Each structure stands twice: as C-alpha cells, then as structure tokens.
C-alpha cells in the first residue's frame, strides 16, 4: 500500500526526541551493549508500596469498568483538595479532568483551543512535546529565547513583545524540563502583570515537577487572583510519586476549558485506566507536600544534581553548566565541541554530539535541538550516583579525543 495514505499532519510530525534517544539506547542494550541511559526523564524510584496495594485492591473490588471520562469523582475531589492543601488554590472538582498522563492533558488543551495558525508563546528551552503537540493541533509555537547565564528564565518584557493578535496561550513550566529552572513567586508575579491587558490569553502552567523543587515550596502562577480565571494548571503523578507507567495526569481549569477537554477526551480515549486512578488517589491523598516520601525523593535528587555538576566541572570544564533549582535535568552548553573532530566524526551540533556520546561513550543524552536550544544537551540525573559517575568517566576520554 502507498504510504501517501498518511495524513500531512503525521508526515510532517517528528518522533519525540526524548523517546527516540531512549528507544535507540534500548535497541543497543538489546544487542548486549552496556548503555547508560540519561535520556529519559523518569524517577528511578519505585512506586510507593501503599500505592501498589491500592491498585491491587481496585482490581479485587472490580474497579475495572469504564470510569467516567473526566475521572472518578473521588479522585477529582482528592485533586481539588490537594490543590487547596499544597497550593492554596480553590477549584471545584468539576473543574478537574483526569487524563492518560499530563501529556494527554496538554494535548487536550491544545486541540481544544487552537485553530489553524493560532499561536502559543513558550520559553525555550521547552519540553519537546509542547511544540510537537501545538503543531499537530494546527497551531504555531512562538519561542522566547533564554540563556544559561540567567538560568534559562524569560522576562515579562519578552512575553509582552511576543503577544500578537494570533496569540491564544502562554505556556509556563516551572520547575522546567529541560532547564530545571524554577520561577520564584516574584518572577511569576511580574509575569502576571503582562496579562492584565490580555484577559483572553490562556496561561497554561505545567507543574508536573512541583515536588522536585530544591529552593523551597513550589508556587503556582494560578495563585494570583487576577489571572486565576485565565489559567489552567497541568499536573500529574508521574514525577512526584514515581508513577510514570501508570499514566495519570490532570488539569484544573476554567469550567469551559474543562468541559472542552472532557468532550474531546470522550471521543478520543475515554477515562484513564480505572486501576491507575485508584492508585493515584492513594498517592495524592497520603503524600502531601512536606511528607517523608517527597522529602526523601527531593533530597536524593538534589544530592545527585550536586554530584553530577561537581563531576562534570572537574572532568570536563569545557562543558558549561548552571545550577538548576528543580526537576532532575542538567542542560549544559556544549558549544565548545562544535567544529571539532576525533579524526573520524565531525561534531557540527548537539545532535552530532549526542550521537557521538551514544556510540563512543555508550551514554545516552538528548540533543538540545529538540528543546529549541541547539547549543546544549539534556542530561537526566534521575539515576544512581554510581551510574552518574560512571557516565562522566566514560564521557571524558571520548570528549577529550575531540580537537
Ligand atoms: N510535562 C513535562 C514538562 C514533562 O517533562 C512530562 C514528562 N513526560 C510531561 C509533561 C508528561 O508527563 P506524563 O504524561 O508522564 O504525566
Ligand atoms: N517527560 C520525560 C522526558 O522528557 C518523559 C519522556 C517523554 O514523555 O518525553 O524525558
């Protein structure tokens, strides 16, 4: 059959770069090659035992039928309670829509609001799938540049200047992927002022790394009353509770956005897995901000961040890094290696460098191109300290060959 049957939408879409690098490293591992995978953003912890038990109980209690499209009422109420408990936010449970991961929550939003050529303003570096989803929904990403020197944060002026008559939404992700940047309460307050004159622009706040914040308690942009009515909070259980495979994310949104996402999801996928929803309920109800589980996880990520930065600074000072305040990624500048060669491979950009590291050092990272910053690579440090040190040990001789 002719491949032309495929839609332009899918032909012009690209594979998610984070998942592509991880697929490549899985393929090499299957060939018996010992790859250290620092390309996927997922906690290396196991899902907490009580959460697993809740899932087993859900099966035994026959919670195995179609759940409501927007999620079980008890879970939506628990999420509304969590938003009050941890973030001081008031949402009715009807404003919550539970989806198959925060990824689907985001896709629901973009497909609900974007007409052809509508624009979504987002700071770069951005998480790769934002741009992929906006494109598939027919919209355009308008990128705001940032630098390592200012911790990859954008200014209110940049946001203001990017707003045009096609702007539908502004996307903020703090703590951020791939930058690890955290916008402080003051940063967020300044950003909200931009929207005083733009009540029709939707602010999409992706807070999936909420609990992995080393600088203090997370602050949600939705806490500012003047923009609350135009803000959608996106969150989920993947990162905070090491539940990436359970696929539960959610939005808390103005009612009409929640209704639109519910309608879309009802046609596309229906409610998320009933068993996973019951597991998420246990995780959200019993592990508030400040709980032992979250503190242990956060401290462990902070130690690994420091370990990796120290090891890189000592072994490879040509790699320029900042000290991110959250998430579990470093996004260092690797420009020093561009134009250099080991006699065999010329490194033209960060894509070449990521492939070189995979092939020569057997370390998988993701090229910055995918995140809108081609001078950088993303290293996920959500793996054991031993493997992080071993990765640097492998990278050093391979990178020292480049001159
Ligand atoms: N937002 C960001 C910034 C992410 O890094 C991820 C990671 N996959 C997601 C959303 C989606 O997470 P999930 O679908 O696992 O809930
Ligand atoms: N969000 C993670 C990452 O950036 C998981 C993979 C993905 O869904 O892109 O690596």
């Amino acid at each position: 059959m002719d491949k032309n049957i495929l839609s332009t939408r899918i032909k012009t879409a690209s594979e998610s770069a984070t998942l592509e690098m991880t697929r490549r490293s899985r393929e090499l591992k299957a060939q018996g090659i010992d790859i250290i995978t620092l390309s996927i953003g997922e906690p290396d912890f196991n899902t907490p035992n009580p959460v697993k038990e809740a899932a087993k109980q859900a099966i035994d209690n026959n919670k195995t039928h179609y759940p409501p499209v927007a999620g079980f009422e008890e879970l939506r109420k628990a999420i509304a309670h969590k938003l009050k408990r941890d973030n001081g936010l008031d949402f009715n449970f009807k404003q919550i829509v539970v989806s198959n991961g925060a990824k689907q929550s985001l896709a629901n939003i973009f497909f609900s609001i974007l007409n052809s050529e509508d624009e979504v303003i987002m700071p770069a570096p951005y998480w790769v799938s934002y741009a992929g989803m906006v494109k598939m929904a027919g919209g355009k990403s308008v990128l705001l540049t940032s630098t390592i020197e200012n911790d990859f944060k954008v200014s209110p002026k940049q946001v203001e200047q990017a707003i045009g008559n096609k702007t539908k939404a502004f996307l903020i992700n703090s703590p951020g992927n791939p930058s690890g940047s955290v916008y402080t309460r003051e940063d967020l307050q300044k950003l909200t002022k931009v929207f005083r004159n733009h009540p029709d622009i939707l602010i999409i706040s992706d807070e999936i790394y909420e609990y992995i914040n080393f600088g203090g308690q997370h602050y949600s942009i939705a806490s500012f009353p003047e923009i609350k009515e135009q803000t959608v909070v996106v969150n989920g259980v993947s990162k905070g509770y090491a539940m990436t495979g359970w696929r539960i994310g959610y939005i808390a949104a103005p009612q009409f956005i929640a209704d639109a996402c519910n309608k879309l999801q009802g046609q596309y996928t229906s409610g998320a897995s009933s068993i996973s929803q019951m597991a998420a309920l246990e995780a959200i109800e019993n592990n508030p901000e400040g709980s032992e589980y979250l503190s242990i996880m956060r401290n462990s990520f902070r130690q690994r961040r420091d370990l990796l930065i120290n090891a890189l600074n000592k072994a490879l000072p040509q790699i320029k890094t900042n000290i991110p305040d959250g998430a579990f990624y470093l996004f260092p500048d690797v420009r020093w290696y561009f134009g250099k060669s080991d006699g065999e491979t010329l490194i033209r950009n960060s894509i070449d460098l990521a492939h070189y590291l995979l092939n020569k050092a057997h370390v998988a990272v993701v090229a910055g191109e995918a995140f809108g910053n081609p001078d950088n690579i993303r290293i996920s440090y959500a793996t054991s300290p031993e493997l992080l040190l071993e990765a640097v040990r492998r990278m050093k001789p391979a990178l020292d060959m480049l001159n």
Side-chain angles (χ1 to χ4, degrees):
M1 193 176 189
D2 191 338
K3 274 204 264 182
N4 272 328
I5 192 174
L6 295 175
S7 67
T8 312
R9 186 184 308 111
I10 202 67
K11 279 196 275 192
T12 55
S14 26
E15 181 179 0
S16 154
T18 47
L19 300 182
E20 185 207 340
M21 247 354 226
T22 307
R23 174 177 57 75
R24 277 174 190 260
S25 63
R26 275 197 195 120
E27 283 165 6
L28 291 174
K29 273 185 192 167
Q31 292 169 27
I33 302 171
D34 168 28
I35 302 289
I36 300 179
T37 305
L38 308 182
S39 54
I40 186 94
E42 85 169 329
D44 60 337
F45 293 92
N46 288 325
T47 300
N49 282 332
V51 175
K52 295 187 202 166
E53 286 308 319
K56 291 177 199 165
Q57 242 176 47
I59 296 173
D60 289 341
N61 294 342
N62 294 311
K63 279 266 188 194
T64 51
H65 299 274
Y66 282 132
V69 173
F72 286 127
E73 196 170 309
E74 50 205 311
L75 175 58
R76 292 162 79 201
K77 284 186 170 156
I79 291 168
H81 174 71
K82 174 263 171 225
L83 290 164
K84 181 77 184 166
R85 179 192 72 197
D86 292 352
N87 313 105
L89 296 172
D90 285 305
F91 282 99
N92 186 290
F93 82 93
K94 293 188 176 135
Q95 294 175 270
I96 315 284
V97 179
V98 176
S99 300
N100 181 39
K103 213 170 197 169
Q104 187 184 17
S105 304
L106 286 157
N108 282 347
I109 299 168
F110 295 133
F111 278 85
S112 292
I113 64 167
L114 296 178
N115 288 318
S116 172
E117 304 291 299
D118 281 347
E119 295 177 352
V120 179
I121 299 172
M122 60 181 87
Y126 52 82
W127 177 46
V128 52
S129 290
Y130 296 148
M133 291 183 203
V134 167
K135 189 171 163 205
M136 280 204 209
K140 270 188 170 169
S141 300
V142 174
L143 306 183
L144 308 178
T145 54
S146 67
T147 62
I148 201 164
E149 286 77 21
N150 62 9
D151 284 329
F152 299 109
K153 290 196 220 175
V154 297
S155 67
K157 197 166 159 212
Q158 281 177 285
V159 181
E160 182 79 60
Q161 283 172 348
I163 293 175
N165 56 10
K166 284 281 190 183
T167 308
K168 271 282 174 76
F170 168 65
L171 204 162
I172 179 152
N173 170 217
S174 172
N177 175 8
S179 64
S181 302
V182 176
Y183 284 77
T184 62
R185 186 180 189 283
E186 291 66 39
D187 295 333
L188 294 173
Q189 186 155 37
K190 285 181 196 148
L191 283 176
T192 60
K193 297 214 168 101
V194 174
F195 295 95
R196 268 192 197 151
N197 301 324
H198 301 286
D200 293 327
I201 295 180
L202 187 70
I203 301 170
I204 304 169
S205 179
D206 181 348
E207 304 182 15
I208 191 113
Y209 295 97
E210 157 175 27
Y211 296 129
I212 310 170
N213 180 346
F214 313 128
Q217 198 174 334
H218 173 72
Y219 204 81
S220 172
I221 195 168
S223 316
F224 296 100
E226 57 275 28
I227 49 96
K228 163 97 181 331
E229 297 305 316
Q230 66 188 105
T231 304
V232 185
V233 175
V234 179
N235 208 330
V237 295
S238 283
K239 315 290 172 171
Y241 304 116
M243 291 178 70
T244 47
W246 299 78
R247 311 306 306 128
I248 297 292
Y250 60 85
I251 57 164
Q255 192 62 55
F256 74 97
I257 297 276
D259 292 345
C261 291
N262 193 358
K263 185 156 82 172
L264 183 77
Q265 184 163 300
Q267 294 286 16
Y268 251 60
T269 57
S270 297
S273 153
S274 57
I275 297 155
S276 296
Q277 287 196 45
M278 296 313 289
L281 175 65
E282 162 66 34
I284 290 170
E285 270 186 337
N286 293 317
N287 297 283
E289 170 62 67
S291 64
E292 195 189 354
Y293 176 81
L294 292 177
S295 305
I296 292 173
M297 175 199 56
R298 189 164 33 227
N299 287 338
S300 157
F301 282 132
R302 189 211 307 251
Q303 282 164 11
R304 294 186 243 177
R305 175 199 68 179
D306 294 343
L307 179 93
L308 180 61
I309 291 177
N310 286 338
L312 281 174
N313 284 348
K314 250 192 224 146
L316 294 158
Q318 298 86 346
I319 292 184
K320 208 163 91 191
T321 187
N322 63 338
I323 305 177
D325 273 331
F328 37 62
Y329 307 105
L330 286 191
F331 196 60
D333 182 323
V334 291
R335 257 179 304 174
W336 195 85
Y337 295 102
F338 297 175
K340 301 202 161 63
S341 162
D342 67 345
E344 217 175 65
T345 312
L346 173 66
I347 307 298
R348 293 161 306 174
N349 48 39
S350 74
I351 299 180
D352 286 347
L353 193 71
H355 287 150
Y356 179 79
L357 285 173
L358 184 63
N359 297 328
K360 295 283 163 74
H362 295 166
V363 174
V365 299
V366 187
E369 260 86 352
F371 307 100
N373 276 45
D375 293 337
N376 300 56
I377 54 171
R378 189 189 78 174
I379 308 178
S380 164
Y381 56 80
T383 195
S384 71
E386 295 73 34
L387 279 180
L388 289 174
L389 292 178
E390 175 59 18
V392 177
R393 234 175 270 131
R394 290 183 189 188
M395 284 162 70
K396 178 158 175 62
L399 291 176
D400 283 349
M401 296 276 286
L402 296 172
N403 51 54

